[in-house]
Amino acid sequence: MTDNSSIDLSLTNIWYAWVAFRRGKKPSREIRAFEQELEYNLLRLCADLHTGQYDHSGYHHRIVNEKKRRDIAVASVHDRVVHRLLYDYLVPLVDPRLDYDVWSCRQNKGLHEALRRTHHLQYSHSRGWVWRADISKFFDHVDHAVLKQCLSRFVSDRATQKLLDNVIGSYVYTEKPASQPASQPASQPASQPASQGTVFLSAI
């Protein structure tokens, strides 16, 4: 079942996306620069999105060490605001269709709730077992054509599809390692699996 409604690209909604993106983030040099001309940057982004002139820029790579070393690809601030716009648009469409036991990146779920659910299932099914797995460099190897086809099941509005295609096509895997595009939440609801009787655990 597809949704014919287009994504809300009003200045108000772009502002909300900015606030959601900015919340809890340390003020990096790029974020500070964006904030110094916040009104201008949001107005320009709004105009570019409405006129079809928005084009996702490239990524820069960096290494972070959060429990393990990861090589990540980071988009610009204005692109990450668009990612948030898409995320907020996609979640209400995709989340209700996910299996109950998909626990990663969902409201009122997450790793701790997944562990509680796992303990409950282990108690209820004493002969059961838990398999925790991770797909190496998943975002590097997502087939863009398949991803777009999956999204077309939920989104039929052409303008929204064009924006999704723009963001999806912005990331191309190269030999330079990058475990995933950082701060690209729009990819999360589109990539969550659904399977009966499985608890999906993910590092949050």
Side-chain angles (χ1 to χ4, degrees):
M1 179 179 178
T2 57
D3 190 303
N4 292 313
S5 62
S6 60
I7 188 172
D8 182 357
L9 299 178
S10 66
L11 182 60
T12 299
N13 203 41
I14 291 172
W15 161 258
Y16 287 141
W18 156 257
V19 171
F21 157 76
R22 182 65 179 85
R23 186 182 297 117
K25 287 184 174 58
K26 295 180 180 179
S28 67
R29 182 182 304 173
E30 188 179 8
I31 289 177
R32 286 196 186 100
F34 192 92
E35 286 178 320
Q36 286 177 357
E37 298 185 76
L38 182 60
E39 183 177 357
Y40 169 78
N41 285 324
L42 295 183
L43 283 168
R44 186 185 66 177
L45 179 58
C46 183
D48 287 346
L49 287 168
H50 276 281
T51 59
Q53 295 182 356
Y54 169 77
D55 189 29
H56 197 292
S57 56
Y59 297 79
H60 67 271
H61 296 264
R62 72 181 186 203
I63 297 173
V64 297
N65 290 285
E66 298 172 350
K67 297 183 180 179
K68 65 177 181 179
R69 173 190 166 117
R70 291 193 302 154
D71 301 294
I72 62 175
V74 184
S76 66
V77 171
H78 79 285
D79 290 325
R80 292 157 78 184
V81 173
V82 174
H83 297 170
R84 184 72 205 196
L85 272 172
L86 288 170
Y87 175 80
D88 291 337
Y89 170 79
L90 286 172
V91 165
L93 299 178
V94 178
D95 190 82
R97 297 172 171 88
L98 293 179
D99 186 87
Y100 177 84
D101 281 319
V102 177
W103 292 86
S104 176
C105 305
R106 299 178 71 187
Q107 188 174 7
N108 301 321
K109 294 209 170 185
L111 181 58
H112 295 295
E113 292 301 320
L115 291 173
R116 292 189 184 96
R117 171 70 168 169
T118 302
H119 291 155
H120 168 74
L121 291 175
Q122 284 183 311
Y123 179 81
S124 303
H125 306 279
S126 59
R127 298 185 65 183
W129 51 275
V130 176
W131 174 45
R132 182 178 184 184
D134 190 16
I135 301 175
S136 177
K137 303 192 186 309
F138 174 78
F139 286 96
D140 284 341
H141 300 101
V142 170
D143 187 314
H144 288 184
V146 173
L147 177 57
K148 292 175 184 178
Q149 184 180 23
C150 290
L151 287 170
S152 69
R153 300 174 185 173
F154 309 109
V155 181
S156 60
D157 177 72
R158 288 302 304 159
T160 307
Q161 286 181 343
K162 183 177 179 181
L163 182 57
L164 284 165
D165 290 349
N166 192 332
V167 173
I168 293 169
S170 68
Y171 183 76
V172 179
Y173 173 70
T174 62
E175 290 302 318
K176 186 172 183 178
S179 61
Q180 68 178 68
S183 300
Q184 187 160 332
S187 64
Q188 294 167 353
S191 62
Q192 296 289 0
S195 176
Q196 291 291 335
T198 304
V199 178
F200 293 98
L201 305 180
S202 176
I204 305 299

